Amino acid sequence: GSGAWSLVVRSDPYQQRYSYRFVARKKGYDAQYLAGSATFDEASTFDVVPGSLLTGKNFVLNGPFTNEVNGTISGPGGPVEGATVTIGTKQHVQFWFNFVPVDTAITDSAGHYTFNTLSSGPYYIQVAAQGLITEFSGNQYDIRLAPEVNPTSTPTTVDVLLGTGGSISGTTTPAHTLVSYCRAADFFDCNFAESDDSGQYTFSNLQPGDYRIGFMNSGYISEYYDDTADVSASKLVTVAD
């Protein structure tokens, strides 16, 4: 094709102007933000008024590259077949870092994966498999602590050993209570479930650390473990490594 691109901005009576950052990505090429920046933080912003035409915003990508990253994903029982391995970049947004996927591979019967059309890094590797904890390379649960991967024409090997993690379970009275958890350190890694007919609930494959547990049911006062309405005063539940 011609490589031409365009953006249509819907009209909004409450929003007269939109501010955008633009990025071009292609497998095997370096990502590029306008104008010429390599990262989200360095990228220029462009104001777009609905109905107007923004022209002359062109990208010239570096590449193609054939850098390779490969490795083996293992668990307590040995190599893990069918694990999802994602290679991506780290994007700083306000007070947090987002993981931005670039490519994905599925491990074979030997737990092996390969990415072989990579541009220059740095990258981060994230692995997810059924019944095991989702982790970054270096056995880290937080992208801020994960090691960088900088592929070259000489294959880079990144092996990851996944753990089963821990669990939190209990009984609610009454049954069918909505139970939620959040990691206490930063209130990320949150999830919820409803207790069953007997009031039982279980959260499995949790990362090690401290959690706060909340309970909510129609007609009852919402509270946190252990019998407090104040989340900051709630008792921490520790999941061991």
Side-chain angles (χ1 to χ4, degrees):
S2 65
W5 68 277
S6 62
L7 173 71
V8 177
V9 179
R10 295 181 179 178
S11 179
D12 185 339
Y14 301 102
Q15 183 78 36
Q16 301 303 315
R17 183 179 296 270
Y18 298 81
S19 184
Y20 289 92
R21 286 182 172 94
F22 297 95
V23 60
R25 302 182 189 275
K26 180 176 173 63
K27 190 174 181 178
Y29 291 76
D30 281 336
Q32 184 188 100
Y33 290 85
L34 285 179
S37 301
T39 67
F40 179 87
D41 290 337
E42 297 171 352
S44 301
T45 58
F46 296 88
D47 289 338
V48 180
V49 177
S52 67
L53 183 63
L54 189 67
T55 61
K57 306 306 178 185
N58 301 322
F59 298 91
V60 179
L61 304 185
N62 295 323
F65 297 95
T66 56
N67 300 324
E68 180 176 320
V69 172
N70 61 47
T72 301
I73 308 303
S74 302
V80 178
E81 180 180 5
T84 300
V85 184
T86 305
I87 191 165
T89 59
K90 181 171 65 175
Q91 181 184 85
H92 185 207
V93 180
Q94 293 184 336
F95 304 108
W96 194 248
F97 287 93
N98 287 336
F99 178 61
V100 182
V102 171
D103 201 0
T104 300
I106 304 298
T107 56
D108 60 20
S109 59
H112 190 74
Y113 72 92
T114 300
F115 298 104
N116 54 18
T117 57
L118 296 172
S119 61
S120 55
Y123 292 102
Y124 301 85
I125 301 288
Q126 186 186 60
V127 185
Q130 186 174 5
L132 300 172
I133 303 177
T134 298
E135 297 184 22
F136 290 96
S137 55
N139 296 112
Q140 298 293 336
Y141 311 114
D142 189 332
I143 193 172
R144 295 172 296 180
L145 305 176
E148 292 182 353
V149 178
N150 291 283
T152 65
S153 56
T154 301
T156 301
T157 298
V158 180
D159 298 329
V160 179
L161 175 63
L162 301 178
T164 55
S167 64
I168 297 174
S169 62
T171 304
T172 66
T173 303
H176 298 288
T177 291
L178 187 66
V179 186
S180 64
Y181 73 79
C182 277
R183 197 166 60 202
D186 47 26
F187 280 88
F188 281 83
D189 188 21
C190 300
N191 208 340
F192 63 89
E194 183 179 305
S195 60
D196 62 20
D197 291 342
S198 60
Q200 299 290 317
Y201 71 89
T202 300
F203 298 110
S204 302
N205 306 127
L206 298 179
Q207 300 171 0
D210 292 331
Y211 292 82
R212 297 190 188 276
I213 312 298
F215 306 90
M216 182 183 299
N217 200 317
S218 179
Y220 294 80
I221 297 175
S222 297
E223 61 181 55
Y224 297 90
Y225 183 76
D226 187 17
D227 293 323
T228 177
D230 183 359
V231 63
S232 62
S234 62
K235 186 176 180 179
L236 296 178
V237 177
T238 301
V239 175
D241 195 351

